[in-house]
Amino acid sequence: MPQQNQPSEPAPTIDELARDYGPDHPRVIAARLDAADGLGEAGDPVEAARLYEELIADCTRIGGPDHEVTLVTRNDHANWVGKAGDPARAADLFEALAVDMERVYGPDDPNTLAVRAGTAGWQLRAGRTDEAARIYDELVPDLVRVLGDDDPQVLDARAAHAAALRDQGRLEEAVAVYELLLPAQLRVLGPDDESTGATRSQLEVLRAGASRSPAEGIGDGANAGVVTIDQDPYLAVVGPGRTRGRSAAGWAVSRHGGARTAARRWRARYTRSFSASRWAQDAR
């Protein structure tokens, strides 16, 4: 009779996997991706970005530049570059990836749209609010057409679009976007959600600023209480360039703290597992 509560064997290291399967095997690539993410999440995004850059070269060599694993790796690399303190480079990387995603998967693929959102999000973080607003002007109608008004990516994009307009001083336009966003948040998230409350607060402040006469301007008084891009509660929760599952249940679960992180990690593992499986089949 087997003994209970036996300690499980430690997971094989990357070197052990490479020895057993070869350095280009999907299990080795997946382990390297997880290791890079682990370093980044532990507080070393610079090293995570460096490891991802190496992975892009290997994935491109093994599967080709248009393989799903290569494209996912480029997406994650761009995010770690931004988190390492270079949002402008992250935006440029996402912009280049969006071109390839549209060519490979088409303009209406949800992941193509998510990468376009990543471009705009990192442009926003880099302080390129004009460019971010321009991208959101084009992106939001596409998201609504493909996903519907209440999809999480639409809520994210509207919030970021409003923030870009707000930080340019285009208060009336920002108010108009927030007024479209708030009813959808109330339907999807409810009145007590943090993001709904943030939108309501922004509307109150911006309506006061937008109602001022041109002679009064939009100086410190008009912008009192308006948080910056880096402090925006909604953007801090969402983060640019992060794709999500599209089910309502997944969205509801991922709205709360650790569950959101767990949902993202699950999606990343699922994507990589699926990609690695296809990769292995292609290699046969």
Side-chain angles (χ1 to χ4, degrees), residues 13-279:
T13 65
I14 294 173
D15 288 340
E16 290 170 340
L17 289 171
R19 182 193 64 213
D20 293 342
Y21 296 100
D24 294 346
H25 192 276
R27 287 191 64 183
V28 177
I29 298 299
R32 290 173 62 191
L33 290 166
D34 286 341
D37 282 337
L39 285 170
E41 290 164 5
D44 194 350
V46 173
E47 181 64 7
R50 186 189 70 79
L51 292 174
Y52 262 100
E53 195 154 10
E54 294 178 353
L55 278 157
I56 291 171
D58 289 338
C59 290
T60 302
R61 173 179 54 80
I62 297 166
D66 295 342
H67 195 282
E68 183 179 2
V69 174
T70 306
L71 297 171
V72 169
T73 301
R74 287 174 61 190
N75 178 89
D76 290 356
H77 171 245
N79 269 316
W80 285 122
V81 166
K83 291 176 181 179
D86 196 345
R89 185 180 174 219
D92 293 341
L93 290 169
F94 266 110
E95 185 173 23
L97 177 59
V99 173
D100 291 335
M101 291 288 292
E102 183 168 343
R103 176 176 53 80
V104 175
Y105 294 108
D108 291 344
D109 181 85
N111 288 312
T112 300
L113 295 171
V115 169
R116 288 173 60 193
T119 306
W122 284 115
Q123 295 282 20
L124 201 55
R125 296 286 187 184
R128 301 171 177 173
T129 52
D130 287 348
E131 182 63 12
R134 183 193 66 77
I135 295 172
Y136 283 122
D137 281 339
E138 300 172 355
L139 174 62
V140 171
D142 291 341
L143 286 169
V144 171
R145 176 174 52 80
V146 175
L147 304 176
D149 276 312
D150 292 348
D151 187 89
Q153 288 192 57
V154 175
L155 302 185
D156 295 355
R158 286 200 196 280
H161 187 199
L165 294 169
R166 177 198 66 197
D167 279 27
Q168 288 181 283
R170 296 161 61 182
L171 301 190
E172 291 185 359
E173 294 172 80
V175 166
V177 175
Y178 277 126
E179 286 176 340
L180 289 172
L181 173 62
L182 183 58
Q185 288 179 323
L186 289 168
R187 286 193 303 272
V188 178
L189 308 177
D192 298 327
D193 185 85
E194 178 184 11
S195 301
T196 306
T199 297
R200 189 182 289 111
S201 297
Q202 291 290 290
L203 266 174
E204 291 174 0
V205 173
L206 293 179
R207 280 170 175 159
S211 66
R212 288 172 171 252
S213 67
E216 290 177 290
I218 53 170
D220 293 339
N223 286 302
V226 177
V227 297
T228 66
I229 294 294
D230 287 340
Q231 297 169 330
D232 191 305
Y234 198 80
L235 294 179
V237 169
V238 173
R242 300 301 297 182
T243 58
R244 287 200 194 91
R246 291 175 56 194
S247 72
W251 168 240
V253 169
S254 68
R255 288 299 303 168
H256 300 284
R260 170 183 290 272
T261 302
R264 283 180 177 166
R265 291 181 64 84
W266 173 85
R267 177 172 169 79
R269 290 194 191 100
Y270 175 82
T271 300
R272 288 176 187 159
S273 175
F274 178 72
S275 302
S277 174
R278 283 178 49 185
W279 201 345

